[in-house]
Amino acid sequence: MEFSPYKKLPPELKMKIWEQGSYKHGMHHFHISNNRFQAFVAGHPLHDQLLRVEPDSPRDRSVWKARNKAVLVDKFSLSVYKKLMTGPSAKVLYPLYPLPAYRARRGKAIVNVENDMICFKFSGLVTATWVRPLNAPDMFFGIKRIALEWKRQDTGVWVAPNPFRCRCPDLAHKNEFYCPKIVDEFITYFRDLEKLFFIIKVNQRGSILRPPRPDLARASKGDIKSDRQRRMTPVKKVHADMMKHIKETAFNERLAYFEDTKYEYFEAKVADLKKLVVYESVIKLFNGLNAEWEKQKKDANRPHPVHEVNLGVLVYCEKPKPTKKEEK
């Protein structure tokens, strides 16, 4: 809904409104593709990697799209945008080579590498840069935090398998979404990376371990509860209590917080995820990555440096809807 008196407000109030609506800690969604065959057909040499970075989808919830719309409100919004989104922390992620410059007509994606979070979806073959360097290595310079969503990265068809599938000789991680060795190779794309997050969506069904059912659970009138009542009520309570605890911990301890146009993302301590179905898989991946880095450190003949980063988890949920009083 348009706020018609906005243009009549003094600059101080406009600045406060713009800062609230500009998503200071924004979440952006991008898709990286590494199609070696397509690059070869286009005449690109095979000794390096030509990555394409594009918006995840036309309908994704990236904050850079909302910011680009806010710029069009008035000249004041444009001047504020230039102040906040220019400088050493501002980075253009779309369009980049090999995409043509005219793609910028659809909107140039500028992110703040100091405050924003970038969630990448990958397709193709993940290859370490010390095996095949990037054609444009500076495309990811300055990015300190990135995220991967905790789900299979493939499209569900045989022609596009999961790029993070296990390629170990013994296939020790064949049943997992992410293989530690492949994730380690993916990290080499980002020279300045300091922390890698995994984004987990917590639903009431399917993502929370079911609490043990009481033998004789009774309703308020003394009747024995049905199987559906005994099964669903504890799960909803566990979900509500866990999300409340994660949010309070994130705010009280000043953990990472991000938002896009639909969801809020809170950094969660791994110990607070014990009630999730994926908890053991997350611990297995984190332990596998730490073991891989320790192994690399002990290898004195390794031809490249070890790129060890911090690991974290982001849990997201929909933003609370405004009440009728707030809407008025």
Side-chain angles (χ1 to χ4, degrees):
M1 188 188 315
E2 184 180 356
F3 181 50
S4 54
Y6 172 79
K7 296 182 180 180
K8 300 179 182 179
L9 295 176
E12 294 80 7
L13 290 179
K14 284 185 177 181
M15 185 66 179
K16 291 183 178 180
I17 294 174
W18 209 95
E19 287 180 348
Q20 289 291 330
S22 63
Y23 305 94
K24 184 177 181 180
H25 300 279
M27 173 70 73
H28 309 273
H29 304 270
F30 289 94
H31 177 222
I32 302 176
S33 59
N34 185 11
N35 193 323
R36 192 175 184 183
F37 176 77
Q38 185 180 25
F40 175 73
V41 172
H44 186 77
L46 296 179
H47 59 77
D48 56 18
Q49 302 182 68
L50 184 65
L51 302 183
R52 293 167 60 97
V53 180
E54 299 179 273
D56 187 20
S57 71
R59 298 182 180 180
D60 69 53
R61 308 169 299 275
S62 296
V63 162
W64 66 268
K65 296 181 179 181
R67 289 172 178 167
N68 288 352
K69 291 181 180 179
V71 169
L72 304 177
V73 175
D74 59 4
K75 292 183 179 180
F76 178 81
S77 299
L78 179 60
S79 62
V80 173
Y81 178 83
K82 289 182 177 179
K83 290 180 181 179
L84 297 180
M85 299 305 298
T86 55
S89 61
K91 186 172 185 62
V92 178
L93 277 184
Y94 176 82
L96 295 175
Y97 178 82
L99 298 177
Y102 66 77
R103 290 282 188 97
R105 299 175 184 174
R106 304 178 187 177
K108 182 181 291 187
I110 302 177
V111 302
N112 189 310
V113 295
E114 294 292 337
N115 298 326
D116 294 345
M117 171 63 68
I118 308 169
C119 178
F120 286 112
K121 183 179 180 181
F122 194 92
S123 63
L125 183 65
V126 178
T127 307
T129 55
W130 47 268
V131 176
R132 291 177 59 220
L134 294 180
N135 176 265
D138 59 338
M139 64 191 308
F140 298 133
F141 281 2
I143 296 179
K144 300 179 181 179
R145 297 184 299 263
I146 63 170
L148 295 169
E149 193 161 2
W150 190 269
K151 65 178 184 180
R152 295 184 66 88
Q153 296 281 327
D154 56 10
T155 58
V157 295
W158 67 271
V159 294
N162 177 22
F164 294 95
R165 67 190 183 279
C166 184
R167 300 202 297 263
C168 301
D170 57 351
L171 297 179
H173 312 92
K174 64 178 181 179
N175 296 323
E176 304 293 337
F177 290 167
Y178 293 96
C179 173
K181 290 187 177 181
I182 307 304
V183 174
D184 176 60
E185 293 186 8
F186 176 76
I187 290 174
T188 62
Y189 291 146
F190 306 90
R191 185 194 67 176
D192 302 318
L193 187 65
E194 297 177 357
K195 192 164 187 176
L196 172 63
F197 287 93
F198 289 89
I199 300 178
I200 300 176
K201 185 176 183 180
V202 180
N203 297 321
Q204 291 184 5
R205 294 186 179 183
S207 59
I208 298 178
L209 293 173
R210 185 174 298 175
R213 296 184 300 176
D215 295 334
L216 293 174
R218 295 183 178 274
S220 58
K221 296 182 180 180
D223 300 329
I224 297 177
K225 291 184 178 181
S226 65
D227 182 69
R228 177 175 176 81
Q229 287 177 314
R230 288 186 293 174
R231 183 173 69 253
M232 294 302 299
T233 304
V235 172
K236 290 182 179 179
K237 186 176 187 307
V238 170
H239 176 268
D241 292 344
M242 183 176 65
M243 291 305 301
K244 180 181 179 181
H245 176 71
I246 289 176
K247 290 181 181 180
E248 291 178 351
T249 303
F251 283 120
N252 294 336
E253 301 188 15
R254 297 184 178 182
L255 302 180
Y257 166 80
F258 306 96
E259 61 177 331
D260 56 25
T261 56
K262 185 176 181 180
Y263 296 105
E264 292 180 311
Y265 302 79
F266 301 89
E267 183 179 1
K269 294 183 176 180
V270 178
D272 295 334
L273 305 176
K274 291 183 179 180
K275 296 178 182 179
L276 294 183
V277 175
V278 300
Y279 172 74
E280 293 185 359
S281 297
V282 173
I283 294 297
K284 184 178 179 180
L285 174 62
F286 285 11
N287 291 339
L289 282 168
N290 290 323
E292 178 68 21
W293 292 326
E294 290 299 324
K295 180 181 177 182
Q296 293 177 10
K297 291 177 183 178
K298 295 178 181 179
D299 187 359
N301 298 323
R302 193 167 186 84
H304 58 84
V306 180
H307 192 172
E308 182 178 2
V309 301
N310 296 319
L311 302 172
V313 174
L314 290 175
V315 174
Y316 71 99
C317 59
E318 289 194 22
K319 293 182 179 180
K321 296 181 180 179
T323 61
K324 293 183 179 181
K325 293 182 179 180
E326 293 175 343
E327 291 178 350
K328 293 179 180 181

